[in-house]
Amino acid sequence: MRLRALLDTDALGLRLLGGEDELDRTVRGVMTTDLRDPSRYLSGGELVLTGLAWRRDADDSEPFVRILAQAQVAALAAGEAELRGIPDDLVAACVRHRLPLFAVDESVAFATITEHVVRQVSGERAGDLAAVVDRHRRMMTSGPAGGGPDVVLDLLGSDLDLRAWVLSPTGRLIAGPKAAGPGMPADRCAKLAAEHLAAARTGRRGPHRVTLGPATYSLFPIRSSGRSAQASRDVRETVLSDWLLAVEADAGDWPAERLDLLQGVTQLISVERDRRDAARTVRRRLAQEVLELVQTGAAPAEIAARLRVAAPVLLPGLGAAPHWQVIVARVDWTDSDIEAGPVAQSLLEEILVDPQATGPEPSDRIAVAHTGDEAVALVPLPAVSAEHDGSETGILADVLLETVRDPLSAGLDDDGQVTLGVSAAVHSAEGLRGALEEARHARRVAAARPGRVCAAGHQELASHVLLLPFVPDDVRRAFTARLLDPLRDYDRRHRAELIPTLEAFLDCDGSWTRCATRLHLHVNTLRYRVGRIEQLTSRDLSRLEDKLDFFLALRMS
């Protein structure tokens, strides 16, 4: 705002005593002081309010005004209550230093002037920021990205004095204001993410307000601007993948204009999010191709050749990965038809980012595909020296779980589960098939545990599971024929779908409700089919040993 606008506001009761030629100066803030030297608290552009308590005699005016002029303040407003008027020596000093001087009537409180200036300046700065955000959005939608979320957060800090951070659903710090010093502590990030996910599951509209210690945060969801997200009708389809904007302020009493501005900021950041997802498209496709080769039993040489072709994308700057790990994830919702594969894929991409890494794209060496209801990650590992002593390398299940359990549990509420399985490191493409089976078995071990978010590693698997991919073909055929041929024959003659029913039953870990929901059957119909399976095979699907035999037969068939 301009000084002239202050003078024209009758409610402020200001009288101009000098500096009429300087009334077009811009006021950027306001400060009240009675210090003899307030320079350390001045940054330029302020309207300085003073009650003149610093003045002992006429000689004090000159140095005080000189300090204000050197700090490039906009003007000085002096109260008349202390000295029953404004001293002539102060008026003369302001004229010499070309500093506009106002007299403040003793009936007007400094707080009234301060509130007016702050309200006007904040409104103008919000308008300026909105214009900047709008220009930035247009640039990003028509060309290269404009610097990422950090640029937007810096604008919020410099123009609205708001500290804000972008967080992932797992509580990873993606971006923060550079001027805020050290990043937000990891435990606080995780707590804010958990609070946001819990609030989002209730269906309440943001922003969600959270108080942690002395600080209050307003949490704004950052939703994808893609069509699929817009068409989503179930919050569970996106709650585990949406970013959030955490603003250190209570937005409960904000005007609609400021709330709209923050919504615009979230939309701007969502463009960056969509660009990141688009950049992952190639890696996802490559992972899908490798996964299909592994699952269909392609020759190791063919898999290795595909990995060499994919190396420039999956391993930028490394050329080749001597070791790989496979990680499998699955998201299961109770009584829901949500397609779980894409949800698990997006979540696993986020989980596998180093929680200490910041920025929107630190995971460019992780490729995640999805097949059916599960996501599969192909993770390259750095070379291990020949002197390696055999200790664990790569990603460990318990470490992976520790970083994401609390936030994701809040997002899952009482009707979902995330399970993760982690393979051991393998040294070549020849071992990928075994690693995939290993990770899938580990995930099933995790699924049998209580809790909303569970993980298991290869160390927890029995030796026969580790050897499963290397069972000779003739042994595989004999084992599977003994168990599955009676069911196949029955399906062929009666179209009873016993094999698909068996697969779904085991895949749901023996849960009658979940399996019936998946197959769109009544529970009694499911029980009839399982009873028929047990009758034809002389096995009992309530026994762990028989479940395991069926599971192995299906996997080896």
Side-chain angles (χ1 to χ4, degrees):
M1 66 179 302
R2 306 286 182 180
L3 288 174
R4 192 179 306 279
L6 287 174
L7 192 61
D8 293 340
T9 305
D10 295 337
L12 301 182
L14 298 178
R15 291 186 295 110
L16 182 65
L17 300 182
E20 185 174 1
D21 295 339
E22 305 293 333
L23 290 181
D24 285 329
R25 288 187 182 186
T26 300
V27 179
R28 295 189 177 88
V30 62
M31 190 193 80
T32 300
T33 184
D34 275 312
L35 295 174
R36 298 170 67 86
D37 180 3
S39 58
R40 74 185 70 179
Y41 305 109
L42 298 172
S43 57
E46 296 92 349
L47 170 66
V48 176
L49 304 174
T50 180
L52 299 178
W54 51 266
R55 183 183 179 277
R56 298 187 180 89
D57 54 47
D59 292 338
D60 291 336
S61 293
E62 170 64 26
F64 181 78
V65 173
R66 183 173 62 250
I67 288 170
L68 299 187
Q70 290 173 347
Q72 298 182 327
V73 303
L76 174 65
E80 296 181 309
E82 180 76 16
L83 302 177
R84 302 298 178 182
I86 307 302
D88 292 339
D89 49 271
L90 180 60
V91 176
C94 287
V95 171
R96 282 194 298 273
H97 291 280
R98 300 180 61 84
L99 180 66
L101 175 63
F102 297 97
V104 182
D105 189 274
E106 59 182 307
S107 65
V108 179
F110 281 178
T112 301
I113 300 174
T114 299
E115 182 181 354
H116 177 82
V117 172
V118 169
R119 186 167 58 248
Q120 294 298 317
V121 170
S122 296
E124 292 175 3
R125 290 165 75 180
D128 291 342
L129 179 59
V132 172
V133 168
D134 187 58
R135 290 196 301 273
H136 198 61
R137 181 188 293 112
R138 288 199 301 270
M139 285 193 303
M140 291 172 58
T141 55
S142 61
D150 304 80
V151 173
V152 184
L153 300 185
D154 287 341
L155 285 173
L156 284 176
S158 63
D159 286 55
L160 289 184
D161 197 26
L162 290 176
R163 297 206 304 166
W165 297 261
V166 177
L167 306 177
S168 78
T170 62
R172 182 176 65 87
L173 179 62
I174 293 171
K178 296 178 182 177
M184 184 183 290
D187 58 343
R188 178 157 296 199
C189 291
K191 180 64 174 176
L192 289 175
E195 294 284 352
H196 171 72
L197 290 176
R201 285 302 310 275
T202 67
R204 289 188 289 115
R205 294 185 59 186
H208 310 299
R209 300 195 301 279
V210 177
T211 298
L212 298 180
T216 298
Y217 298 87
S218 297
L219 310 179
F220 295 80
I222 300 174
R223 298 189 173 93
S224 170
S225 60
R227 293 181 180 177
S228 60
Q230 297 297 328
S232 174
R233 291 173 295 178
D234 193 322
V235 67
R236 291 175 292 183
E237 294 185 53
T238 57
V239 69
L240 298 182
S241 58
D242 283 344
W243 289 355
L244 68 134
L245 178 69
V247 182
E248 190 176 358
D250 187 344
D253 57 354
W254 281 4
E257 294 79 5
R258 177 167 286 208
L259 288 172
D260 288 344
L261 174 61
L262 266 293
Q263 294 296 345
V265 168
T266 64
Q267 293 170 12
L268 183 57
I269 297 174
S270 76
V271 175
E272 290 284 350
R273 170 69 185 270
D274 291 343
R275 289 186 183 278
R276 186 208 66 165
D277 288 344
R280 285 181 170 175
T281 301
V282 175
R283 294 199 302 277
R284 287 175 170 178
R285 187 176 68 248
L286 292 173
Q288 200 77 39
E289 293 173 358
V290 173
L291 176 61
E292 289 174 2
L293 289 175
V294 172
Q295 290 190 133
T296 57
E302 185 179 357
I303 299 173
R306 193 73 196 93
L307 287 174
R308 282 194 297 272
V309 173
V313 175
L314 298 183
L315 307 166
L318 294 184
H323 299 93
W324 297 89
Q325 263 183 299
V326 175
I327 299 177
V328 173
R330 180 167 173 144
V331 179
D332 288 297
W333 300 104
T334 304
D335 299 328
S336 174
D337 294 329
I338 295 172
E339 188 180 1
V343 177
Q345 181 182 44
S346 179
L347 180 60
L348 186 54
E349 286 173 335
E350 177 55 47
I351 289 175
L352 291 178
V353 178
D354 183 348
Q356 302 303 317
T358 58
E361 196 62 67
S363 57
D364 59 358
R365 291 175 182 166
I366 297 170
V368 183
H370 72 83
T371 174
D373 288 336
E374 70 179 11
V376 180
L378 191 63
V379 183
L381 300 176
V384 180
S385 65
E387 292 80 16
H388 181 55
D389 60 4
S391 60
E392 290 298 328
T393 61
I395 297 172
L396 302 179
D398 54 348
V399 175
L400 199 65
L401 180 63
E402 186 64 28
T403 60
V404 301
R405 181 196 288 116
D406 291 344
L408 293 183
S409 295
L412 292 163
D413 198 13
D414 291 328
D415 66 346
Q417 185 183 42
V418 170
T419 50
L420 304 164
V422 182
S423 79
V426 295
H427 308 292
S428 65
E430 187 173 6
L432 284 178
R433 184 181 180 191
L436 177 59
E437 291 292 331
E438 192 173 81
R440 282 175 167 161
H441 284 297
R443 192 207 64 78
R444 292 181 179 278
V445 170
R449 294 173 173 165
R452 292 295 168 191
V453 185
C454 301
H458 63 94
Q459 310 95 324
E460 303 172 64
L461 302 182
S463 59
H464 69 277
V465 175
L466 301 178
L467 297 175
L468 180 61
F470 307 103
V471 174
D473 288 342
D474 55 343
V475 176
R476 284 173 178 265
R477 285 191 293 270
F479 182 77
T480 57
R482 189 179 309 116
L483 273 177
L484 301 183
D485 277 359
L487 305 181
R488 288 172 177 148
D489 291 340
Y490 191 88
D491 281 348
R492 198 162 35 245
R493 287 183 283 110
H494 300 281
R495 298 182 180 178
E497 297 187 329
L498 297 183
I499 290 290
T501 300
L502 176 62
E503 289 177 328
F505 186 75
L506 295 175
D507 206 36
C508 291
D509 303 308
S511 169
W512 296 98
T513 302
R514 284 165 52 194
C515 185
T517 300
R518 175 176 299 185
L519 295 176
H520 304 288
L521 298 175
H522 192 279
V523 172
N524 289 342
T525 303
L526 175 62
R527 291 186 184 277
Y528 173 82
R529 288 188 183 180
V530 170
R532 179 65 66 183
I533 291 171
E534 293 174 334
Q535 182 183 32
L536 292 171
T537 59
S538 299
R539 298 296 185 110
D540 182 354
L541 277 168
S542 66
R543 297 179 68 247
L544 177 62
E545 294 85 353
D546 288 342
K547 283 183 181 177
L548 180 59
D549 283 347
F550 277 123
F551 176 79
L552 296 177
L554 288 168
R555 289 299 174 268
M556 291 191 296
S557 62

